[in-house]
Amino acid sequence: MVDVLVVGGSGLLGRALVRRAARSGARVAATYHRHAPSRDGRPLDIRRRDDVVATLRRIRPAAVVNAAFDQGDWATTADGAAHVAIAAVDVGARLVHVSSDAVFSGRSGRYTERDRPCPGTPYGAAKAAAETAVAAIDPDAAVARTSLIIGGGESAHETFAHALVAGTASGVLFTDDVRCPVHVDDLADALLELAGSAHPGTYHVAGPEAVSRHELGTLITGRALPAGLRVDSGLPGARDVRLDCAWTRARLGTRPRGVREFLSR
């Protein structure tokens, strides 16, 4: 029997989940859609409900962490989450669904675990729909909202910041776009802790420090980077979303580090 199944195991977070679970001695398996992870990867298109159910029936995991998403595809992000929840209930597995601060519009700035989603983008709407579906299908599931995921130089933000320094990319980093970055390993540990518990509900798993994308890029590279304002860019998306994690911190032993701690040189 598998202790933990990571759905979406080929992404930055999925790989960290597989790595951290295996390091703890858990029996772990992972699914992927396009790119196979290095450890026990099994192809799965979560848009196909019957395939998801059949896969979980074969694996029989004790817990499932769903880290799969596609920012441009509602069927993967929203419908796929529902299919994973249906399959988890079918086999009696503990479900931890990974959500995002994109479910918030940013108009309020700071959001607690009890705040209702108010998305301002199609991706945020898909993530909010996924949360609703998971809670309706599996009331015992945990939904974990997170923020910008950083770690190992492999995240999109780290890659872009280094490309700006190298001159292989053009653009700016926004000084008015604020988030609470979290290290991928800290996030993975918190999600695995939730997977090993029986506590349902919505959790906020993000770093304790709020920084702008420009400040974050500067911390990553140690270099001066071109700055701009999201409000002037015309790009969709919230500008200031700070996840208040106080309720979650009172319930989890895992303590995500602040960005200045894990990016210190």
Side-chain angles (χ1 to χ4, degrees):
M1 182 178 178
V2 168
D3 296 313
V4 181
L5 172 65
V6 179
V7 177
S10 61
L12 176 66
L13 175 57
R15 296 194 305 273
L17 283 162
V18 170
R19 183 175 64 250
R20 305 293 282 189
R23 182 177 298 177
S24 72
R27 293 163 294 184
V28 59
T31 71
Y32 68 94
H33 186 203
R34 296 184 183 90
H35 306 291
S38 59
R39 181 189 294 270
D40 195 18
R42 308 177 190 210
L44 178 65
D45 186 343
I46 62 172
R47 296 172 297 183
R48 301 176 180 275
R49 182 179 61 183
D50 290 348
D51 290 354
V52 179
V53 172
T55 296
L56 265 69
R57 285 179 176 175
R58 286 195 299 272
I59 297 174
R60 293 284 169 180
V64 178
V65 181
N66 181 16
F69 72 98
D70 185 332
Q71 288 197 3
D73 183 30
W74 179 283
T76 297
T77 302
D79 299 345
H83 299 160
V84 173
I86 289 168
V89 170
D90 177 69
V91 300
R94 163 69 165 167
L95 174 62
V96 177
H97 173 77
V98 182
S99 190
S100 166
D101 58 10
V103 301
F104 296 122
S105 67
R107 294 186 183 93
S108 296
R110 185 171 295 277
Y111 295 90
T112 73
E113 294 88 345
R114 298 297 172 253
D115 285 318
R116 293 182 178 276
C118 50
T121 63
Y123 174 61
K127 276 295 194 182
E131 288 190 11
T132 299
V134 167
I137 295 165
D138 187 358
D140 293 327
V143 172
R145 295 175 183 144
T146 192
S147 189
L148 286 180
I149 304 173
I150 306 296
E154 299 179 61
S155 69
H157 197 86
E158 289 167 285
T159 300
F160 182 59
H162 286 299
L164 286 175
V165 171
T168 57
S170 60
V172 300
L173 292 174
F174 299 130
T175 58
D176 61 342
D177 189 328
V178 178
R179 296 294 187 274
C180 297
V182 63
H183 194 281
V184 66
D185 288 343
D186 297 345
L187 175 57
D189 288 346
L191 295 172
L192 292 169
E193 182 181 347
L194 281 172
S197 75
H199 303 307
T202 302
Y203 295 80
H204 282 180
V205 185
E209 293 180 80
V211 297
S212 71
R213 289 181 185 265
H214 182 267
E215 186 177 5
L216 177 59
T218 300
L219 289 168
I220 288 168
T221 63
R223 302 282 294 276
L225 296 172
L229 295 174
R230 176 179 279 275
V231 69
D232 294 335
S233 72
L235 294 174
R239 293 199 301 274
D240 189 343
V241 180
R242 309 175 192 222
L243 295 182
D244 185 327
C245 304
W247 185 86
T248 297
R249 282 197 300 269
R251 287 157 179 79
L252 292 184
T254 303
R255 293 288 184 270
R257 292 164 288 171
V259 64
R260 288 178 178 82
E261 180 180 354
F262 67 72
L263 287 178
S264 62
R265 294 177 177 272

